[in-house]
Amino acid sequence: GENVEQHPSTLSVQEGDSAVIKCTYSDSASNYFPWYKQELGKRPQLIIDIRSNVGEKKDQRIAVTLNKTAKHFSLHITETQPEDSAVYFCAASYMNYGGSQGNLIFGKGTKLSVKP
Amino acid sequence: NAGVTQTPKFQVLKTGQSMTLQCAQDMNHEYMSWYRQDPGMGLRLIHYSVGAGITDQGEVPNGYNVSRSTTEDFPLRLLSAAPSQTSVYFCASSQRQQGARAFFGQGTRLTVV
């Protein structure tokens, strides 16, 4: 089955700096890669996602890149702000044989701290 | 539009007790799933369903049962709670299609003593 590795487990940056979180996946059939942000005591919230036919996607200060050959994808946050402090999860999903949706398999998370 | 609703938000059980965690969605999503979240372990898939009457096991199914009698509801049952099942449980739903976005409920924090 699919396995997703996420690094680093903790990341501390100064406000205004950039933050990068990296994930690797094992199943070359995976074709959908979302990123979730989870604030303390809250539910995971989708912040950006990318599909396997796209190499990069941006949404304001957030971007995700995908390298299918190397089977890794990354989250980039520019001009970080204190409200970006949270736990970030990457995930991978694939289309099952028969065409039904695959399951989301998550990395173990990265705790991002943005210091004012 | 409430999205994905979980009840209860908090629960304390004694070892050996049984209970059902409720999950309901009003988005007409075919795909629903249950995850547990433990410190440093991320979100691990317990069970999932691709439609009414269809369920299957995820990564960590032992000790849990599910059923899917309607599109809207996907309850998770603990038949005999154990301290190892102390965790935060999240239900999620999405459309059943390639690259469908998943939406999570607010979670249930379960403590087994």
Side-chain angles (χ1 to χ4, degrees):
Chain A
E2 176 63 279
N3 183 52
V4 177
E5 298 284 342
Q6 183 172 348
H7 299 280
S9 57
T10 61
L11 180 59
S12 181
V13 300
Q14 288 294 133
E15 182 178 0
D17 287 350
S18 295
V20 180
I21 302 170
K22 299 182 179 180
C23 290
T24 60
Y25 60 99
S26 60
D27 192 337
S28 57
S30 290
N31 57 18
Y32 174 62
F33 308 93
W35 286 87
Y36 285 83
K37 176 183 180 181
Q38 186 180 31
E39 297 175 344
L40 189 62
K42 302 289 183 63
R43 75 188 79 188
Q45 297 269 21
L46 179 69
I47 56 171
I48 195 167
D49 54 11
I50 191 167
R51 291 168 176 79
S52 59
N53 59 347
V54 176
E56 183 177 5
K57 183 177 179 180
K58 291 182 179 180
D59 183 3
Q60 299 182 349
R61 297 185 297 108
I62 294 174
V64 57
T65 58
L66 172 64
N67 183 326
K68 289 174 57 181
T69 302
K71 289 190 283 188
H72 66 70
F73 56 112
S74 301
L75 178 70
H76 304 254
I77 306 174
T78 59
E79 301 173 15
T80 54
Q81 301 168 2
E83 51 265 39
D84 293 329
S85 296
V87 178
Y88 292 81
F89 292 97
C90 63
S93 180
Y94 56 92
M95 183 68 74
N96 283 336
Y97 176 77
S100 64
Q101 180 188 358
N103 302 314
L104 280 179
I105 303 301
F106 284 83
K108 294 185 177 180
T110 296
K111 184 176 182 180
L112 174 64
S113 299
V114 180
K115 298 180 178 179
Chain B
N1 190 334
V4 182
T5 302
Q6 288 182 238
T7 56
K9 291 184 179 180
F10 303 95
Q11 183 70 48
V12 178
L13 285 179
K14 293 182 179 179
T15 297
Q17 286 185 317
S18 63
M19 79 159 296
T20 300
L21 279 63
Q22 302 290 345
C23 176
Q25 52 90 12
D26 61 0
M27 298 176 282
N28 201 32
H29 285 167
E30 290 186 274
Y31 184 92
M32 297 185 73
S33 54
W34 276 101
Y35 290 86
R36 61 176 289 172
Q37 184 175 32
D38 303 293
M41 297 298 293
L43 293 149
R44 292 183 292 170
L45 183 65
I46 304 172
H47 285 285
Y48 66 96
S49 169
V50 298
I54 306 170
T55 63
D56 206 347
Q57 297 180 349
E59 303 171 78
V60 288
N62 292 341
Y64 308 95
N65 281 351
V66 292
S67 60
R68 186 92 180 271
S69 57
T70 67
T71 299
E72 295 78 19
D73 301 298
F74 189 43
L76 178 72
R77 297 184 183 86
L78 284 72
L79 299 180
S80 178
S84 60
Q85 294 178 304
T86 294
S87 187
V88 180
Y89 292 85
F90 286 99
C91 177
S93 76
S94 66
Q95 293 180 337
R96 184 181 170 183
Q97 63 186 52
Q98 182 180 0
R101 292 172 170 172
F103 298 90
F104 283 83
Q106 71 268 46
T108 296
R109 183 174 294 274
L110 175 68
T111 302
V112 182
V113 298

